């Protein structure tokens, strides 16, 4: 599949998902009970504990998805807010020394993971809806701490299949 066809496929898939109900939490307002959030959004892809009995529900939209919605739930089981976290603004809050769990809480699961054996690190890559076809990457040491972050070209846009 050539690059143009691949990009067209990704755009079509994103539009199709956007048209589906439950794709984003836009129709939900603060105070919505968690059961209603789950009914509208479906089963979260992950759930992260927060401070004081709060939690964060992750709704990642697939490995080629460009959006991950986080829905925050208070200790009483009601939604306090939501946000699409796969953005440069959120990525730029990831700092060297943060734990694996802090990264997951902020931006959710990566689209891809890979081992970097020569550096004894794990690399997490996140696709996102940006101006350029690039992805955000986080490098973690064996203790699960961030040692490096950055942006690089997304291979889905730069590789040519035979």
């Amino acid at each position: 599949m050539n690059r143009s066809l691949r990009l067209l496929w990704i755009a079509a898939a994103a539009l199709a998902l956007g048209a589906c109900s439950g794709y984003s939490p836009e129709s939900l307002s603060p105070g919505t009970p968690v059961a209603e959030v789950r009914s509208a959004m479906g089963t979260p892809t992950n759930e992260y504990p927060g401070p004081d009995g709060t939690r964060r529900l992750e709704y990642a939209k697939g490995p080629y998805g460009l959006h991950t919605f986080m829905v925050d739930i208070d200790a009483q089981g009601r939604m306090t807010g939501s946000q699409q976290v796969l953005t440069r603004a959120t990525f730029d809050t990831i700092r060297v020394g943060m734990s694996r769990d802090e990264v997951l809480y902020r931006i959710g699961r990566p689209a891809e993971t890979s081992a970097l054996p020569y550096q004894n690190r794990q690399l997490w890559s996140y696709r996102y809806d940006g101006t350029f076809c690039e992805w955000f990457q986080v490098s973690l040491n064996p203790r699960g701490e961030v040692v490096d972050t950055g942006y690089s070209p997304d291979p889905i846009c730069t590789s040519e299949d035979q």
Side-chain angles (χ1 to χ4, degrees), residues 93-108:
T93 68
I94 306 299
R95 300 279 181 240
V96 170
M98 280 183 147
S99 73
R100 171 189 182 278
D101 290 341
E102 288 175 291
V103 173
L104 290 170
Y105 188 85
R106 286 182 189 225
I107 58 178

Side-chain angles (χ1 to χ4, degrees), residues 52-149:
D52 302 322
T54 63
R55 55 195 154 135
R56 181 169 257 201
L57 306 180
E58 171 194 276
Y59 290 93
K61 298 305 179 179
Y64 297 107
L66 305 175
H67 305 105
T68 293
F69 297 96
M70 294 293 196
V71 178
D72 294 317
I73 306 296
D74 66 17
Q76 289 72 43
R78 298 203 173 271
M79 179 178 144
T80 60
S82 66
Q83 64 179 324
Q84 199 290 102
V85 295
L86 300 185
T87 65
R88 275 189 171 261
T90 309
F91 295 147
D92 291 346
T93 68
I94 306 299
R95 300 279 181 240
V96 170
M98 280 183 147
S99 73
R100 171 189 182 278
D101 290 341
E102 288 175 291
V103 173
L104 290 170
Y105 188 85
R106 286 182 189 225
I107 58 178
R109 70 180 188 187
E112 291 185 20
T113 61
S114 54
L116 302 174
Y118 60 93
Q119 294 179 327
N120 197 23
R121 294 182 182 172
Q122 186 174 43
L123 185 65
W124 290 359
S125 301
Y126 295 83
R127 289 190 168 86
Y128 68 103
D129 192 9
T131 306
F132 305 103
C133 190
E134 62 185 359
W135 58 5
F136 177 71
Q137 295 182 301
V138 177
S139 179
L140 301 156
N141 66 22
R143 292 184 306 278
E145 300 163 333
V146 174
V147 292
D148 194 17
T149 67

